Amino acid sequence: MSASDPLVGELLDGRYVIQRKLARGGMATVYLADDQRLTRTVAIKVMHEGLGDDQDFIGKFDREARAAARLSHPNVVSVFDQGLHRGRPYIVMEYVEGCTLRHMITREGSFSPERALDLLIPVTAAVAAAHESGLIHRDIKPENVLISDRGQIKVADFGLARAISAQTVTATGMLIGTVSYIAPELVTHGKADPRCDVYALGVVLYEMLTGSKPHTGENPIQVAYAHVHKAIPAPSSAVKTSWRESRNGIPPYLDALVTSAAARQPSDRPVDARVLLDHMRQARESLARGVMDDSALTERMKGTTLDPENHITEPVPSLRSPSEGDRTPTLRFTPSTPISPGLPEITDGMPYYDGPVEQRAPGRPRRRWPALLASILAAVLVGTGLWWVFAGQYTSTPALVRLNQAQAQQAATDAGLTITFDSEYAEDVPAGQVARTEPAGGDRIVHGGTIKAFLSKGPERFAVPALRGLDLPTATESLNRINLTVGNVTQGYDDTVEAGKVISASFKEGTPLKRGTAVDLVMSQGPAPVTLGDWTDKPVKDAQKALKEQGLKVKIEKQNHSDIEKNNVISQTPTAGEVHRGDTVTLVVSKGPQLKAVPNVRRYSLDRARDILQKAGFEVRVNRLINFGFDLVVSTDPKAGTKAPVGSTITINLA
């Protein structure tokens, strides 16, 4: 797994978990993924980031899914699904575990003619099926041929395929197709038809036979120029082994097959892959029989249409050629249609031997016909039995996708098959129509067998539950219970939601979402913190205004204070520092000093007057007006009965 690739570990459409990157191309990257719904491994091709805004690229990407999905052939990589992830289109394909033809060519160099044809005939059969469906691959190359560990050969990447009726072969000014295998007409005027694929197959076969490409250059322009102006040479000219000396040599008819398929003029090539496939099968059958030079066959390899007289519909098995000193007879057959897959047809009623003939004892009569008839009968019976085991007992499953139940029932009945129905959610198929079948349309099924059809319930959606005020474990459980997941969790302040509870979610309550969609949550940290200033000995009205603007509550208490001016703050709780919005700040506000009437102490002695005033809460200062020695109070300042602040100083005038 690549930690640098952000898609690795992602969940696509609530269903596909990306495991690792497999390959990267010019338009998309292919990943290995797990389909959690069907518990299978798949390959997912995701368009490169930034191309999702280009409608031309989106169109080509969409055509890949549609074109490949239309093909039902054992040598074509199956397409299962398509969708959009964060604005990037993707398609889900069959995962073929193994290697590419490119890896085999790199590892082994050149192949023998028989091995090259054995590998390329299934590829050509797949392209022929595409041509019969009105599609052109446009990018045939060894990198797009997958070979599984079990030996299955499949063609991938119909991403540049387009209806044959389409004329344009360029997109945003760039040639479509890989330059080493591109047909000359695509370079010169951009017109495409099935013969472009035939040309590419011819170049691939040349490379497999010789171990090198026919045209090379320092840059793609030089290679493209060579395709336009230079004919591809016969592959035998690029190898040292001669067909006259070894069975591994390239015979003239195989040279003709390659140079005809890769002819510069489209009119000189086979009209489509079906004709090329027939040529390959004829060549493979001749190699199997040990024929290395056949002028009539060489001439047929130059044909551009099917030759009904020599048409071969099935591959012919490889037969061992006789070697010098080999005492084992080797069966040979003339070219014709096999009785069944895997069995050569007996021509003119009998095979003939190309080996030592058993000597008949003198006088012993020849009794060849009974044995011959028995051999013929055995071959017919075996061929019929094999045909039934491998083909005869099967038919094709009809295409039922997007039919309603009644239509699907009728189609199955018309095909002599039984059908059962189930239902499942489907993103792209309207409710009530068939979303998929088992077996799939085009797959083989036993005569009279049963098709299981899944009727669409429409897109699967789950409504977002109420999440505000829940703690994280409870919110997670609520989402998981309805097949949604928790996405990014962030923190925020809120005056009303207590710390540790959900403030909000990325989707409103009740929003319908796909299975596995991630819902982001914002968790409360409680009210936001604010800084409380020191309002001591400051006007209370200023303090109230500032504290309310900070989202704080204010409580006022009043008391007298001899030193703090009236309506100024005596003290506050809490003191200056950090508090939170919504907290309460208590302010003790001064009512000014306490006032009290000055007692009347006139005619009192000094000692008694001082005692009375001090007990009343006043300070005393003595002023002797006349020093007669009597120390009697004649007046006070302030005067008796006047209100003065408690704690203030009263002056006693003595005489």
Side-chain angles (χ1 to χ4, degrees):
M1 294 175 64
S2 174
S4 62
D5 194 315
L7 274 184
V8 173
E10 283 271 328
L11 180 69
L12 272 61
D13 203 20
R15 176 174 180 178
Y16 306 104
V17 179
I18 302 294
Q19 297 297 331
R20 59 184 172 89
K21 183 165 69 176
L22 294 175
R24 180 181 174 89
M27 194 169 67
T29 300
V30 182
Y31 297 88
L32 183 72
D34 287 335
D35 181 347
Q36 294 187 325
R37 186 177 300 173
L38 298 180
T39 60
R40 64 181 173 187
T41 301
V42 296
I44 297 185
K45 176 173 288 188
V46 183
M47 180 181 287
H48 291 333
E49 197 164 15
L51 296 181
D53 297 330
D54 189 321
Q55 294 305 312
D56 288 338
F57 277 101
I58 290 178
K60 283 189 290 179
F61 203 91
D62 181 64
R63 282 193 297 274
E64 173 167 10
R66 295 179 185 275
R70 285 169 55 188
L71 293 177
S72 178
H73 191 276
N75 298 116
V76 173
V77 173
S78 300
V79 172
F80 300 140
D81 195 9
Q82 68 180 125
L84 203 66
H85 179 72
R86 297 181 180 173
R88 298 170 65 182
Y90 67 87
I91 59 173
V92 183
M93 305 173 293
E94 172 188 8
Y95 173 57
V96 180
E97 189 171 9
C99 67
T100 65
L101 181 57
R102 167 62 61 212
H103 291 132
M104 294 184 66
I105 293 174
T106 302
R107 184 176 65 242
E108 300 181 30
S110 61
F111 301 95
S112 70
E114 290 170 306
R115 180 160 165 75
L117 288 174
D118 285 343
L119 290 169
L120 202 58
I121 282 175
V123 175
T124 308
V127 179
H131 289 177
E132 290 177 356
S133 298
L135 300 170
I136 311 171
H137 190 289
R138 297 176 185 245
D139 198 20
I140 299 295
K141 57 186 177 182
E143 288 81 355
N144 283 337
V145 177
L146 309 181
I147 303 166
S148 75
D149 293 336
R150 294 182 296 174
Q152 294 176 305
I153 299 174
K154 289 180 178 281
V155 180
D157 201 355
F158 275 81
L160 305 178
R162 186 179 297 178
I164 287 180
S165 60
Q167 297 300 315
T168 304
V169 74
T170 61
T172 62
M174 297 181 296
L175 284 170
I176 294 176
T178 304
V179 70
S180 293
Y181 310 92
I182 195 166
E185 63 268 28
L186 295 183
V187 179
T188 57
H189 53 69
K191 297 293 179 69
D193 65 20
R195 290 173 293 189
C196 296
D197 288 346
V198 171
Y199 184 93
L201 288 165
V203 176
V204 171
L205 182 54
Y206 178 99
E207 185 177 1
M208 294 173 71
L209 292 170
T210 65
S212 61
K213 299 182 178 69
H215 296 314
T216 57
E218 294 181 359
N219 55 60
I221 298 299
Q222 292 181 357
V223 178
Y225 184 91
H227 280 286
V228 174
H229 296 284
K230 295 181 181 179
I232 288 180
S236 62
S237 66
V239 298
K240 296 180 180 180
T241 305
S242 170
W243 61 270
R244 290 184 174 89
E245 302 169 352
S246 169
R247 284 285 302 275
N248 288 329
I250 301 172
Y253 56 82
L254 197 52
D255 274 342
L257 186 155
V258 173
T259 56
S260 175
R264 282 189 296 164
Q265 294 299 325
S267 59
D268 294 336
R269 300 176 211 147
V271 70
D272 59 21
R274 191 167 65 101
V275 179
L276 180 62
L277 176 63
D278 186 63
H279 289 178
M280 287 184 176
R281 287 172 173 168
Q282 290 186 53
R284 181 65 182 88
E285 188 271 347
S286 295
L287 288 170
R289 292 189 293 110
V291 175
M292 298 303 289
D293 190 13
D294 185 334
S295 58
L297 179 59
T298 300
E299 195 62 27
R300 286 203 300 273
M301 293 296 102
K302 302 175 184 178
T304 60
T305 58
L306 281 179
D307 182 355
E309 190 174 326
N310 296 285
H311 175 49
I312 294 181
T313 59
E314 294 289 342
V316 176
S318 174
L319 302 176
R320 186 167 54 86
S321 61
S323 59
E324 191 174 341
D326 190 343
R327 303 296 298 172
T328 305
T330 301
L331 282 171
R332 274 188 174 180
F333 304 96
T334 57
S336 58
T337 304
I339 306 174
S340 65
L343 286 180
E345 180 166 348
I346 300 169
T347 307
D348 296 329
M350 65 172 69
Y352 65 93
Y353 288 87
D354 184 25
V357 179
E358 180 184 0
Q359 297 297 317
R360 179 174 55 88
R364 181 178 176 182
R366 295 176 181 268
R367 300 187 61 185
R368 299 171 59 187
W369 283 105
L372 180 59
L373 289 174
S375 298
I376 294 173
L377 181 59
V380 171
L381 291 176
V382 170
T384 303
L386 290 175
W387 172 82
W388 176 254
V389 170
F390 293 106
Q393 64 175 318
Y394 297 102
T395 186
S396 293
T397 305
L400 305 179
V401 172
R402 293 189 179 272
L403 300 183
N404 61 36
Q405 184 169 353
Q407 292 169 333
Q409 180 71 62
Q410 186 61 51
T413 302
D414 292 344
L417 301 169
T418 303
I419 188 169
T420 62
F421 293 94
D422 201 343
S423 61
E424 66 180 20
Y425 292 102
E427 285 295 316
D428 303 321
V429 180
Q433 295 182 4
V434 175
R436 65 181 180 91
T437 61
E438 294 177 355
D443 287 356
R444 68 179 190 172
I445 186 174
V446 176
H447 287 289
T450 299
I451 305 170
K452 186 173 183 180
F454 294 85
L455 294 172
S456 171
K457 295 194 290 185
E460 183 184 40
R461 296 292 185 269
F462 302 92
V464 176
L467 299 172
R468 183 177 171 86
L470 301 181
D471 58 33
L472 184 57
T474 305
T476 302
E477 182 183 356
S478 297
L479 290 170
N480 292 345
R481 190 164 50 244
I482 58 170
N483 302 302
L484 301 177
T485 63
V486 173
N488 294 326
V489 178
T490 56
Q491 304 292 323
Y493 297 106
D494 193 277
D495 295 346
T496 59
V497 178
E498 66 178 283
K501 301 295 179 68
V502 175
I503 299 173
S504 63
S506 54
F507 299 97
K508 292 182 179 179
E509 179 183 347
T511 302
L513 299 178
K514 292 182 181 180
R515 176 188 292 268
T517 299
V519 178
D520 299 338
L521 300 177
V522 179
M523 305 301 296
S524 176
Q525 291 178 291
V530 295
T531 301
L532 176 64
D534 184 3
W535 290 99
T536 303
D537 204 17
K538 294 177 182 177
V540 67
K541 64 178 182 179
D542 294 344
Q544 283 181 298
K545 180 181 178 182
L547 295 176
K548 287 180 179 179
E549 288 176 352
Q550 288 182 294
L552 299 171
K553 299 174 184 178
V554 179
K555 181 180 178 182
I556 301 295
E557 296 179 356
K558 292 187 176 184
Q559 67 181 43
N560 295 105
H561 198 285
S562 58
D563 297 326
I564 302 297
E565 185 180 341
K566 183 179 181 179
N567 293 325
N568 280 7
V569 176
I570 300 171
S571 63
Q572 66 183 53
T573 306
T575 57
E578 187 176 279
V579 293
H580 292 86
R581 289 175 60 87
D583 285 356
T584 298
V585 178
T586 301
L587 300 178
V588 179
V589 180
S590 173
K591 295 192 294 183
Q594 183 180 358
L595 297 178
K596 194 171 184 180
V598 177
N600 186 0
V601 293
R602 188 170 178 272
R603 299 180 185 275
Y604 285 21
S605 66
L606 174 61
D607 291 338
R608 186 177 179 193
R610 180 185 282 118
D611 182 57
I612 292 172
L613 290 173
Q614 286 179 341
K615 285 182 178 178
F618 297 107
E619 299 292 329
V620 176
R621 185 172 68 86
V622 177
N623 180 30
R624 297 181 185 275
L625 298 176
I626 303 173
N627 191 7
F628 289 139
F630 298 109
D631 286 341
L632 293 177
V633 177
V634 294
S635 66
T636 59
D637 185 20
K639 294 180 181 180
T642 304
K643 289 189 178 284
V646 174
S648 61
T649 299
I650 306 298
T651 300
I652 299 174
N653 296 315
L654 298 177

